[in-house]
Amino acid sequence: SCILLEVVLLIFTPQQYYKLLLTYNLPIDTRMKDNVNGKATPPSMKGRRRLPSRKSGKNSVDCILQATEEILVVQDNVETTTNKIAERAGVNIGTLYQFFENKEAIFVAVYYRTTSKVGRILREANVKQLNEPAEVALPALVETALQVFEETSHILFLLAENTPELRAQKNGTFLANQIYEGSRSYIERHATTLSNDDTEIAYYFMQTTVVAVIRSYLLDRPVQIERERFIKELSRMLINYVNDFLDR
């Protein structure tokens, strides 16, 4: 919608949002593509109230998104209402509807903001470990991934699965895409003689394994596996796989 596009432009620069869409194979609004190329005209706001200035609008949007994140920590998206969000954000309900048509639109914006933060953390962690051996790099990366996914699982897992628009766009693949990129950069740095087919297979197994195991651990919470033991076991499995793969 026009309103959602305006809200996204308040959260990300056009270049950041366009790159996000390309990275996760999401539908690209032609207005956004033109905006990135520096020739966009604002989307039509016919029939809608005028948005506040960029600065005041961004402050209101930030408050609404932050309030939604805080509410989702203690209750699911079904119980969350726009009235509760507006009350916690300290804005009136009219202001909320200036930016978002319904609570689902807020959930989508919260998801994108969260994935942007998570992606930045994972990329920074991966850069730090690129030159390290698998025995050092993988445990550190697993611990970082577990921590950031644990802190945001109510959004990355539960919200994404329970929000129709996110589910329809298969946004649950965000985690797999992040692990894929990390696996690719690490293996390409340490393996120079393997074929593209071989490396693509390695990326696939690493991303699907890590995402499935972490998701299951966070949602099922097996009491017999402590956090440190989980990191150790998953890291050992990945170390054995990567070292065997690089020795071929």
Side-chain angles (χ1 to χ4, degrees), residues 1 4-33 35-36 108-109 112-113 115-116 165 169 171:
S1 67
L4 182 56
L5 179 60
E6 292 288 347
V7 170
V8 169
L9 283 169
L10 290 170
I11 303 171
F12 304 107
T13 65
Q15 291 81 3
Q16 289 173 329
Y17 182 57
Y18 187 51
K19 184 177 181 180
L20 186 71
L21 296 181
L22 292 175
T23 301
Y24 302 116
N25 298 316
L26 301 179
I28 297 176
D29 192 310
T30 55
R31 294 167 298 175
M32 173 59 68
K33 187 173 182 179
N35 199 319
V36 172
V108 171
Y112 285 136
R113 189 167 85 153
T115 56
S116 176
E165 184 172 346
Q169 294 177 354
N171 280 291

Side-chain angles (χ1 to χ4, degrees), residues 3 49 82 92-102:
I3 289 290
R49 288 171 287 182
T82 52
N92 63 57
I93 194 68
T95 298
L96 183 147
Y97 281 114
Q98 257 189 318
F99 298 101
F100 300 97
E101 295 178 353
N102 48 47

Side-chain angles (χ1 to χ4, degrees), residues 152-202:
T152 58
S153 61
H154 59 292
I155 294 174
L156 295 183
F157 296 122
L158 300 179
L159 184 65
E161 293 176 359
N162 295 326
T163 302
E165 184 172 346
L166 293 173
R167 189 169 61 245
Q169 294 177 354
K170 298 181 179 180
N171 280 291
T173 60
F174 165 77
L175 300 183
N177 287 330
Q178 290 297 314
I179 302 301
Y180 175 92
E181 290 301 322
S183 303
R184 185 180 68 177
S185 58
Y186 185 84
I187 289 179
E188 286 180 351
R189 176 64 63 91
H190 294 271
T192 58
T193 59
L194 297 173
S195 68
N196 289 335
D197 289 342
D198 286 337
T199 52
E200 285 298 326
I201 291 173

